[in-house]
């Protein structure tokens, strides 16, 4: 596999060299674009520090979008960033604003909020390069601002049918509506349907010399049904603008695993020596409500307050039955886990929203998070004892911050800030602990606009990670026959991040973005041996993570009218001194190299578009205390064709995994831990066959 990854790196470099040649040809044909479209200030100078390109709604007609998110996807030279799952509300903003402000929702993703805005409600989209403000999108070098039309009623609907390889037909219906109700401007959306899939796998257990111990023929089938309802309502109130957001999400799922096992031999069509089956089901609900009020005063300073609450309930249960020989049941294991999570946030900011060159902002945020989790495992009628099987976690966190945006010159903008944070985390239940944490989080970003279309940004920032409260409680991985203890002593990880980004928009649809980064991470989270002697997630030490990420959009009109090639290539690596083995290795859970591309051709007169998506080879590794789990996949191809020729609607036909997805999951075992002797492997070769979808989109 290392050879495969090396080949993928060579392929990435080869493709980038070829793309550079095409880029040179394209740039020569469009070299006047930067001058013709450069922003000009009142003195006639080119450029200004905060420059903008405006795309009216009519620009997107050639792509037949249904909603604001599909318009964002077709913005020339723009890469959508939905934000992160950072602590609280302020640290997870994306790079899209709606009417100049970020949505006041956390569980409803930025993508979800944009999807519920019908295309008929969008007047234009502005691309702003360089710092825009001290708050909502601080640190983003390129921001899209969706400007909505006032009033009116419009909507969209989508009907989908999905056919996984097992022949089931799974429906899905979506709809959105924008209208005015009793003085409120509202947008709402629903998404109801079923999803699922199936795969086949061959599992082999081999010893340290590669000799076969046993094999298993596995089939797996799962199905989800889900309902999502979200709404936003906006009106003038109390001298400002009041926004209320709500979302309800519910899902239910079931999965069935079945394995036929053969001792000392591969599956040969004969009678299996043993069977193993696992039937699981579960689901949950999530409720979110937020109230957002903002007012701009006569001095152009803006007061903005947000109150947000989220409640999430989740339950899961499974039963595993092992039989050897196949007509004798040897073991029945029942597993059940229930979790209830809550998050409440209050955030207030007060900052300069005017046209001053230096715009400060001040504010505070208070949050309360909690999780109650209980887990039970019963094997053949006897309960299995797990460390921290039942746990309650409570966190109170407060932060105060000061941010600024400074248009230093006509070409240079600088923004930054300093946040002071204090939090207390208390764990109770089977194990208890209380900890207090204090962090200072500075950030400084400098953006230089060589022209309206060429930009270079540098950023240095200290970040603090959001702990996954589930790691405080025990968990079980039934299909791997392993358990993980909860850790009441977890602390947040942090990092210093240095990055530089170069953006070049060389034609109306052509662009290049290159980002290089280096992170110095502290208290990273990996599986370690806990004080109880059990394996669990804990703070394992310090690490470095670094890499280069590139995105290149190449218009192909000179050879294929309406054609666009979008290339993505990443090279990343890490360095970490492993406390289990004492040796240096990569950190868990990332793909060191990736190459992918999208090709799309829009034949406007024919009212037809088609395209393909290529995803390159990938490999990820997870390091546990006594094993290494690696997961890798082949090159995969998806394709679609869509048209608006019939009945005034858009019809799309798509195929995923045209060439069949082939994946290998391998577990390498060591005794007593990874620093000890290699004892063998479990190798699972999985196959996912093509899946077909037909989708019909309409507007009203």
């Amino acid at each position: 596999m290392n050879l495969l990854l090396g080949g993928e790196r060579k392929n990435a470099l080869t493709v980038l060299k070829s793309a550079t040649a095409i880029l040179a040809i394209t740039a020569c044909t469009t070299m006047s674009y930067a001058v013709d479209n450069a922003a000009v200030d009142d003195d006639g100078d080119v450029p200004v520090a905060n420059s903008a390109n405006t795309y009216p709604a009519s620009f997107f007609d050639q792509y037949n979008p249904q909603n604001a998110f599909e318009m964002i996807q077709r913005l020339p030279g723009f890469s959508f960033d939905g934000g992160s799952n950072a602590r609280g509300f302020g640290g997870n903003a994306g790079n899209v604003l709606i009417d100049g402000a970020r949505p006041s929702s956390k569980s409803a993703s930025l993508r979800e909020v944009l999807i519920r805005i019908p295309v008929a409600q969008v007047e234009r989209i502005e691309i702003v390069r360089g710092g825009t403000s001290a708050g909502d999108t601080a640190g983003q070098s390129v921001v899209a601002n969706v400007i909505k039309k006032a009033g009116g009623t419009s909507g969209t609907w989508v009907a989908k049918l999905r056919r996984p390889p097992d022949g089931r037909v799974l429906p899905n219906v979506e709809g959105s509506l924008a209208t005015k109700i009793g003085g409120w401007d509202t947008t709402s959306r629903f998404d109801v349907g079923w999803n699922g899939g199936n795969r086949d796998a061959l599992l082999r257990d081999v010893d340290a010399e590669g000799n076969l111990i046993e094999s298993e023929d596995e089939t797996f089938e799962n199905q989800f049904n889900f309902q999502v309802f979200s709404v936003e309502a906006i009106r003038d109130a109390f001298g400002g603008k009041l926004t209320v957001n709500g979302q309800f999400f519910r899902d239910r799922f079931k999965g069935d695993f079945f394995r036929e096992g053969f001792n000392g031999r591969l599956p040969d069509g004969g009678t299996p020596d043993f069977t193993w089956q696992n039937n699981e089901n579960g689901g949950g609900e999530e409720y979110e409500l937020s109230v957002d009020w903002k007012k701009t005063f006569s001095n152009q300073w803006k007061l903005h307050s947000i109150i947000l609450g989220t409640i999430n309930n989740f339950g899961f249960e499974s039963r595993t039955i092992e039989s050897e020989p196949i007509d004798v049941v040897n073991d029945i294991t029942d597993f059940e886990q229930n979790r209830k999570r809550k998050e409440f946030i209050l955030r207030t900011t007060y900052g300069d929203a005017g046209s001053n060159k230096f715009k400060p902002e001040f504010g505070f945020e208070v949050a309360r998070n909690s999780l109650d989790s209980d887990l039970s495992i019963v094997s053949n009628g006897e309960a299995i004892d797990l460390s921290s099987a039942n746990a309650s976690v409570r966190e109170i966190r407060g932060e105060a911050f000061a941010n600024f945006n400074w248009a230093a010159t006509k070409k240079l903008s600088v923004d930054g800030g300093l946040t002071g944070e204090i939090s207390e985390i208390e764990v109770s239940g089977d194990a208890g602990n209380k900890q207090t944490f204090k962090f200072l989080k500075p950030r400084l970003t400098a953006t230089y606009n060589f022209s309206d279309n060429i930009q270079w940004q540098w950023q240095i920032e200290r970040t603090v990670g959001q702990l996954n409260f589930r790691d405080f409680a025990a968990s079980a991985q039934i299909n791997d026959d392993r358990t993980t203890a909860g850790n009441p002593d977890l602390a947040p990880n942090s990092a210093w991040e240095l990055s530089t980004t170069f953006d070049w928009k060389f034609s109306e649809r052509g662009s290049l973005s290159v980002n290089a980064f280096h992170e110095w991470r502290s208290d990273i989270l990996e599986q370690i041996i806990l004080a109880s002697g059990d394996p669990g997630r804990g703070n394992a030490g310090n690490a470095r993570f670094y890499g280069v990420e590139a995105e290149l959009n190449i218009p192909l009109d000179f050879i294929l009218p309406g054609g666009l090639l979008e290339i993505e290539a990443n090279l990343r690596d890490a360095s970490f001194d492993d406390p289990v083995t004492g040796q240096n290795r990569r950190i868990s859970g990332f793909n060191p190299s990736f190459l992918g591309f999208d090709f799309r051709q829009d034949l406007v007169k024919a009212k037809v578009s088609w395209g393909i998506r290529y995803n390159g080879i990938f490999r990820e590794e997870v390091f546990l205390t006594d094993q290494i789990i690696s997961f890798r996949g082949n090159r995969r191809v998806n394709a679609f064709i869509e048209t608006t020729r019939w009945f005034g609607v858009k019809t799309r036909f798509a195929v995923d995994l045209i060439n069949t997805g082939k994946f290998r999951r391998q577990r390498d075992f060591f005794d007593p831990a990874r620093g000890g002797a290699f004892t063998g492997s479990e190798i699972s070769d999985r196959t996912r066959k093509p899946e077909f979808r037909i989708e019909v989109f309409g507007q009203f």
Side-chain angles (χ1 to χ4, degrees), residues 250-275:
R250 177 182 184 272
D251 76 330
R252 296 290 183 269
F253 67 89
K254 62 175 296 184
D256 297 307
F257 293 84
F258 183 74
R259 299 174 184 170
E260 292 184 333
F262 302 84
N263 293 323
R265 58 192 171 108
L266 293 172
D268 53 13
T271 301
D273 299 307
F274 61 92
T275 61

Short mmCIF file of all heavy atoms in Angstrom, two decimals, residues 250-275:
data_model
loop_
_atom_site.label_atom_id
_atom_site.label_comp_id
_atom_site.label_asym_id
_atom_site.label_seq_id
_atom_site.Cartn_x
_atom_site.Cartn_y
_atom_site.Cartn_z
N ARG A 250 -34.81 14.00 13.44
CA ARG A 250 -35.09 12.68 14.00
C ARG A 250 -34.62 11.63 13.02
O ARG A 250 -34.82 11.76 11.81
CB ARG A 250 -36.59 12.51 14.26
CG ARG A 250 -37.01 11.15 14.78
CD ARG A 250 -38.52 11.08 14.94
NE ARG A 250 -38.98 9.83 15.52
CZ ARG A 250 -39.26 8.73 14.82
NH1 ARG A 250 -39.13 8.74 13.49
NH2 ARG A 250 -39.66 7.63 15.43
N ASP A 251 -33.97 10.57 13.53
CA ASP A 251 -33.60 9.46 12.65
C ASP A 251 -33.72 8.14 13.39
O ASP A 251 -33.65 8.07 14.62
CB ASP A 251 -32.18 9.66 12.09
CG ASP A 251 -31.10 9.34 13.12
OD1 ASP A 251 -31.35 9.53 14.32
OD2 ASP A 251 -30.00 8.93 12.71
N ARG A 252 -33.95 7.11 12.61
CA ARG A 252 -33.98 5.73 13.10
C ARG A 252 -33.19 4.87 12.12
O ARG A 252 -33.26 5.09 10.91
CB ARG A 252 -35.42 5.20 13.19
CG ARG A 252 -36.29 5.94 14.19
CD ARG A 252 -35.86 5.65 15.61
NE ARG A 252 -36.72 6.29 16.61
CZ ARG A 252 -36.51 7.49 17.12
NH1 ARG A 252 -35.48 8.22 16.70
NH2 ARG A 252 -37.33 8.00 18.02
N PHE A 253 -32.43 3.93 12.66
CA PHE A 253 -31.64 3.08 11.77
C PHE A 253 -31.61 1.66 12.29
O PHE A 253 -31.85 1.38 13.47
CB PHE A 253 -30.21 3.61 11.63
CG PHE A 253 -29.39 3.52 12.89
CD1 PHE A 253 -28.64 2.38 13.17
CD2 PHE A 253 -29.35 4.58 13.78
CE1 PHE A 253 -27.89 2.30 14.34
CE2 PHE A 253 -28.60 4.51 14.94
CZ PHE A 253 -27.87 3.37 15.21
N LYS A 254 -31.33 0.75 11.38
CA LYS A 254 -31.11 -0.65 11.73
C LYS A 254 -30.05 -1.21 10.81
O LYS A 254 -29.91 -0.80 9.66
CB LYS A 254 -32.41 -1.47 11.62
CG LYS A 254 -33.00 -1.54 10.23
CD LYS A 254 -34.21 -2.47 10.19
CE LYS A 254 -33.80 -3.89 10.52
NZ LYS A 254 -34.94 -4.85 10.39
N GLY A 255 -29.27 -2.12 11.35
CA GLY A 255 -28.22 -2.76 10.57
C GLY A 255 -28.13 -4.23 10.93
O GLY A 255 -28.31 -4.62 12.09
N ASP A 256 -27.86 -5.04 9.93
CA ASP A 256 -27.78 -6.48 10.11
C ASP A 256 -26.48 -7.01 9.51
O ASP A 256 -26.24 -6.86 8.30
CB ASP A 256 -28.98 -7.18 9.46
CG ASP A 256 -30.31 -6.77 10.08
OD1 ASP A 256 -30.43 -6.86 11.30
OD2 ASP A 256 -31.20 -6.33 9.33
N PHE A 257 -25.66 -7.61 10.36
CA PHE A 257 -24.43 -8.28 9.92
C PHE A 257 -24.64 -9.79 10.02
O PHE A 257 -25.22 -10.29 10.99
CB PHE A 257 -23.25 -7.92 10.83
CG PHE A 257 -22.81 -6.49 10.76
CD1 PHE A 257 -23.45 -5.51 11.51
CD2 PHE A 257 -21.73 -6.12 9.97
CE1 PHE A 257 -23.03 -4.20 11.47
CE2 PHE A 257 -21.30 -4.80 9.93
CZ PHE A 257 -21.96 -3.84 10.68
N PHE A 258 -24.13 -10.51 9.04
CA PHE A 258 -24.15 -11.97 9.12
C PHE A 258 -22.86 -12.51 8.52
O PHE A 258 -22.45 -12.12 7.42
CB PHE A 258 -25.35 -12.56 8.38
CG PHE A 258 -25.46 -14.05 8.51
CD1 PHE A 258 -25.88 -14.63 9.70
CD2 PHE A 258 -25.10 -14.87 7.45
CE1 PHE A 258 -25.96 -16.01 9.83
CE2 PHE A 258 -25.17 -16.26 7.57
CZ PHE A 258 -25.60 -16.82 8.75
N ARG A 259 -22.20 -13.42 9.28
CA ARG A 259 -20.95 -14.01 8.82
C ARG A 259 -21.03 -15.53 8.89
O ARG A 259 -21.53 -16.09 9.88
CB ARG A 259 -19.77 -13.54 9.68
CG ARG A 259 -19.53 -12.04 9.66
CD ARG A 259 -18.44 -11.66 10.66
NE ARG A 259 -18.25 -10.21 10.72
CZ ARG A 259 -17.51 -9.60 11.64
NH1 ARG A 259 -16.88 -10.32 12.57
NH2 ARG A 259 -17.39 -8.29 11.62
N GLU A 260 -20.52 -16.16 7.86
CA GLU A 260 -20.32 -17.62 7.86
C GLU A 260 -18.82 -17.87 7.95
O GLU A 260 -18.05 -17.34 7.14
CB GLU A 260 -20.88 -18.25 6.59
CG GLU A 260 -22.41 -18.19 6.51
CD GLU A 260 -22.95 -18.92 5.29
OE1 GLU A 260 -22.21 -19.01 4.29
OE2 GLU A 260 -24.10 -19.39 5.34
N GLY A 261 -18.39 -18.63 8.97
CA GLY A 261 -16.98 -18.80 9.24
C GLY A 261 -16.46 -20.18 8.89
O GLY A 261 -17.18 -21.19 8.99
N PHE A 262 -15.16 -20.19 8.51
CA PHE A 262 -14.52 -21.45 8.08
C PHE A 262 -13.16 -21.53 8.76
O PHE A 262 -12.31 -20.64 8.61
CB PHE A 262 -14.36 -21.47 6.56
CG PHE A 262 -15.66 -21.32 5.82
CD1 PHE A 262 -16.19 -20.05 5.57
CD2 PHE A 262 -16.36 -22.43 5.37
CE1 PHE A 262 -17.38 -19.90 4.90
CE2 PHE A 262 -17.55 -22.28 4.69
CZ PHE A 262 -18.08 -21.02 4.45
N ASN A 263 -12.93 -22.59 9.52
CA ASN A 263 -11.67 -22.78 10.25
C ASN A 263 -10.59 -23.31 9.32
O ASN A 263 -10.76 -24.36 8.69
CB ASN A 263 -11.87 -23.74 11.41
CG ASN A 263 -12.76 -23.16 12.49
OD1 ASN A 263 -12.71 -21.97 12.78
ND2 ASN A 263 -13.59 -24.01 13.10
N GLY A 264 -9.47 -22.58 9.23
CA GLY A 264 -8.32 -23.03 8.47
C GLY A 264 -8.51 -23.07 6.98
O GLY A 264 -7.68 -23.65 6.27
N ARG A 265 -9.56 -22.46 6.45
CA ARG A 265 -9.81 -22.50 5.01
C ARG A 265 -10.60 -21.27 4.59
O ARG A 265 -11.27 -20.63 5.40
CB ARG A 265 -10.56 -23.77 4.62
CG ARG A 265 -11.90 -23.92 5.32
CD ARG A 265 -12.48 -25.33 5.15
NE ARG A 265 -13.65 -25.53 6.00
CZ ARG A 265 -14.90 -25.60 5.57
NH1 ARG A 265 -15.15 -25.49 4.26
NH2 ARG A 265 -15.89 -25.79 6.40
N LEU A 266 -10.52 -20.96 3.31
CA LEU A 266 -11.32 -19.90 2.74
C LEU A 266 -12.72 -20.43 2.44
O LEU A 266 -12.92 -21.65 2.34
CB LEU A 266 -10.68 -19.38 1.45
CG LEU A 266 -9.34 -18.64 1.61
CD1 LEU A 266 -8.73 -18.35 0.24
CD2 LEU A 266 -9.54 -17.33 2.38
N PRO A 267 -13.72 -19.55 2.30
CA PRO A 267 -15.07 -20.02 1.92
C PRO A 267 -15.01 -20.84 0.64
O PRO A 267 -14.43 -20.41 -0.37
CB PRO A 267 -15.84 -18.71 1.72
CG PRO A 267 -15.14 -17.72 2.60
CD PRO A 267 -13.70 -18.10 2.55
N ASP A 268 -15.59 -22.04 0.68
CA ASP A 268 -15.48 -22.96 -0.45
C ASP A 268 -16.82 -23.51 -0.91
O ASP A 268 -16.88 -24.47 -1.68
CB ASP A 268 -14.56 -24.12 -0.09
CG ASP A 268 -14.98 -24.82 1.21
OD1 ASP A 268 -16.10 -24.56 1.70
OD2 ASP A 268 -14.17 -25.60 1.75
N GLY A 269 -17.93 -22.89 -0.43
CA GLY A 269 -19.25 -23.38 -0.82
C GLY A 269 -19.76 -24.51 0.05
O GLY A 269 -20.91 -24.92 -0.09
N GLY A 270 -18.91 -25.00 0.95
CA GLY A 270 -19.32 -26.08 1.83
C GLY A 270 -20.01 -25.55 3.08
O GLY A 270 -20.26 -24.35 3.24
N THR A 271 -20.30 -26.45 4.00
CA THR A 271 -20.96 -26.07 5.25
C THR A 271 -20.00 -25.27 6.13
O THR A 271 -18.88 -25.71 6.38
CB THR A 271 -21.43 -27.32 6.01
OG1 THR A 271 -22.32 -28.06 5.18
CG2 THR A 271 -22.15 -26.93 7.30
N PRO A 272 -20.41 -24.10 6.60
CA PRO A 272 -19.52 -23.32 7.46
C PRO A 272 -19.33 -24.00 8.82
O PRO A 272 -20.19 -24.76 9.28
CB PRO A 272 -20.25 -21.98 7.59
CG PRO A 272 -21.68 -22.28 7.31
CD PRO A 272 -21.68 -23.40 6.31
N ASP A 273 -18.20 -23.69 9.46
CA ASP A 273 -17.92 -24.24 10.79
C ASP A 273 -18.61 -23.44 11.89
O ASP A 273 -18.90 -23.99 12.96
CB ASP A 273 -16.41 -24.25 11.04
CG ASP A 273 -15.67 -25.11 10.03
OD1 ASP A 273 -16.04 -26.29 9.88
OD2 ASP A 273 -14.75 -24.60 9.37
N PHE A 274 -18.87 -22.17 11.66
CA PHE A 274 -19.53 -21.34 12.68
C PHE A 274 -20.22 -20.18 11.98
O PHE A 274 -19.95 -19.85 10.81
CB PHE A 274 -18.52 -20.84 13.72
CG PHE A 274 -17.43 -19.97 13.17
CD1 PHE A 274 -17.57 -18.58 13.12
CD2 PHE A 274 -16.23 -20.52 12.71
CE1 PHE A 274 -16.56 -17.78 12.62
CE2 PHE A 274 -15.21 -19.72 12.20
CZ PHE A 274 -15.38 -18.35 12.16
N THR A 275 -21.12 -19.54 12.71
CA THR A 275 -21.78 -18.33 12.23
C THR A 275 -21.72 -17.25 13.30
O THR A 275 -21.60 -17.54 14.50
CB THR A 275 -23.25 -18.58 11.85
OG1 THR A 275 -23.97 -19.02 13.01
CG2 THR A 275 -23.36 -19.61 10.73
#
